[in-house]
Amino acid sequence: MLKRSLFTALAVALSAQPVIANANGVTTTVTRANPDTLAQVMATKQLRVCSPGDYKPFSFDHQGKFEGVDNDLVELLAQSMGAQVVMVKTSWSNLMSDFTAGKCDLAVGGISITLPRQQQALFSVPYFTNGKTPLVRCEDVSKYQTIDQINQPTVRIVANPGGSNENFARTVLTKAKLTMHPENLTIFDEVAEGRADVFVTEAAEAIVKTHEHKGVLCGVNPDKPLKPAENGWLIPNNDFRFKAYVDQFFHLEKLSGNLDKVINKWLPKQ
């Protein structure tokens, strides 16, 4: 009776694991407790990648085609495994819940490496040094040089929900007047059109938007961010084999000079 009960429990546990089949009908069972993403991707010939797709220069959904630093790199990673990239659109608010639910094998798109995220998943080695940078109207650059200058009741700040920008606004800029904007594609208009004074984002995005809105929006000292940060890719929790593979991929791309080449392709010169 005990053996039968154990067998039943094991069968139920295995049946609860997601099963993925490739085009040839070959199936792979994904065990979330001890995942083997590398084996899964090589068996299914698919690399599922979550991204909000709203963050230049890293990953941007351009009419259904994802473009940017991360997308160029993830295509090379997939090629190394003989796989095709399948993009899975998410949002910053749902990024971690979608990823931990097993909807994708990687998550990319300019994701800041933070301890709360690290509590739920692994990160690759950092591939880009970033940091919180104010984006303001160009005539206001001298007014918003420091946290103290921004963190005032008379300063109107804006943030997008679910990511490190909102966290920074709510935990560091507690005295400023915060307005939440529903998504990251049009949030820059809030500052450009005078409805907000400051949007604190990452240095890379501030550089891109300064380039796109020349003479209107300016990043404040993107080379000296208010709070330094690093970007990495999310990797399924406990999957240290896949993490080692992705880390080695980044190491080789850096050694060859291709990592800098891809970054420079998408990041405008200051």
Side-chain angles (χ1 to χ4, degrees), residues 224-247:
K224 298 178 181 177
L226 301 176
K227 181 182 179 182
E230 293 177 315
N231 296 128
W233 290 352
L234 281 172
I235 294 170
N237 202 23
N238 297 321
D239 197 342
F240 293 99
R241 186 163 95 107
F242 192 48
K243 172 176 165 53
Y245 189 89
V246 174
D247 288 351

Side-chain angles (χ1 to χ4, degrees), residues 46-80:
Q46 290 187 342
L47 177 65
R48 302 168 302 149
V49 180
C50 281
S51 178
D54 62 0
Y55 185 0
K56 294 181 179 181
F58 298 104
S59 183
F60 186 76
D61 183 358
H62 181 65
Q63 298 179 346
K65 177 178 172 56
F66 283 73
E67 302 175 339
V69 173
D70 286 12
N71 296 103
D72 282 3
L73 291 171
V74 88
E75 286 286 348
L76 294 174
L77 177 68
Q79 289 174 22
S80 76

Side-chain angles (χ1 to χ4, degrees), residues 13 37 40 55 58 65 69 76 93 103 107 120 138 144-145 148 197 202 222 230 232-233 235 242-243 260 266 270:
T37 307
Q40 170 195 314
Y55 185 0
F58 298 104
K65 177 178 172 56
V69 173
L76 294 174
S93 297
K103 293 183 179 180
Q120 301 179 66
C138 291
Y144 302 118
Q145 293 278 313
D148 286 343
D197 302 309
E202 298 294 334
E230 293 177 315
W233 290 352
I235 294 170
F242 192 48
K243 172 176 165 53
D260 286 340
W266 293 99
Q270 296 187 55

Side-chain angles (χ1 to χ4, degrees), residues 93 142 175 196 223:
S93 297
S142 62
K175 296 178 183 177
D223 56 331

Side-chain angles (χ1 to χ4, degrees), residues 136-183:
V136 304
R137 290 180 294 280
C138 291
E139 63 266 26
D140 292 338
V141 167
S142 62
K143 293 170 58 177
Y144 302 118
Q145 293 278 313
T146 66
I147 289 176
D148 286 343
Q149 287 178 311
I150 300 170
N151 193 28
Q152 299 293 331
T154 56
V155 178
R156 301 166 300 163
I157 63 173
V158 64
N160 53 313
S164 60
N165 291 340
E166 179 184 7
N167 180 265
F168 187 84
R170 293 192 183 280
T171 60
V172 178
L173 304 176
T174 55
K175 296 178 183 177
K177 184 178 180 181
L178 172 63
T179 299
M180 296 302 298
H181 193 74
E183 45 83 31

